[in-house]
Amino acid sequence: MLVTLRRIGTRGEPAVGVNAPGVSGSAVWRGPGAPVVGVPVDVELDVPGPVGWDMFVVGTPSTDLPAVAEGELRLVGVVEHRDDDGVVVLRVGRSVVLVETTGTPPRRIDGQRVAVVVRGVEVHPTSV
């Protein structure tokens, strides 16, 4: 996933502001070097889980997205698949993000647009 880093935190964990289509908020940088603000970088997002289905908003219009606080990342995309173990393949922009879920999913969730705000997401540069 190609993201642009908006800012770099200076306290505690190496927090970065992340911006890309369908992604907004902050995450923890897990790269070998220091991140650079404003430079696009290809990354994988590691979403800590499981995430309860009660945290997902289904069918969210782009004008009514959940707000994010410091340390949170908002993902907006389309559920491509949910396997029997609760892992969701979420299409975010041109990329996919795997999210481990818990609880009972909404009926017919595959193909639905969803938004979810998660805390503690890690950003791993892919060196691509």
Side-chain angles (χ1 to χ4, degrees):
M1 169 180 291
L2 192 62
V3 302
T4 300
L5 305 179
R6 293 187 326 248
R7 63 183 166 69
I8 299 171
T10 56
R11 297 180 293 169
E13 301 250 14
V16 293
V18 179
N19 193 32
V23 180
S24 181
S26 59
V28 178
W29 179 259
R30 293 295 185 212
V36 179
V37 172
V39 176
V41 59
D42 193 74
V43 300
E44 278 190 20
L45 300 180
D46 183 13
V47 177
V51 178
W53 277 104
D54 59 335
M55 300 299 294
F56 286 80
V57 180
V58 179
T60 308
S62 59
T63 56
D64 192 26
L65 295 173
V68 295
E70 185 63 33
E72 295 179 335
L73 191 70
R74 179 179 54 225
L75 301 171
V76 179
V78 174
V79 175
E80 289 208 346
H81 178 72
R82 184 190 70 82
D83 69 19
D84 292 338
D85 294 331
V87 176
V88 167
V89 177
L90 184 62
R91 169 75 52 193
V92 179
R94 295 175 58 188
S95 301
V96 294
V97 177
L98 300 179
V99 181
E100 181 184 355
T101 63
T102 187
T104 303
R107 291 175 47 101
R108 298 185 181 101
I109 193 63
D110 287 1
Q112 294 292 315
R113 184 173 191 270
V114 298
V116 62
V117 175
V118 288
R119 178 170 282 285
V121 173
E122 294 183 348
V123 177
H124 299 267
T126 63
S127 301
V128 173

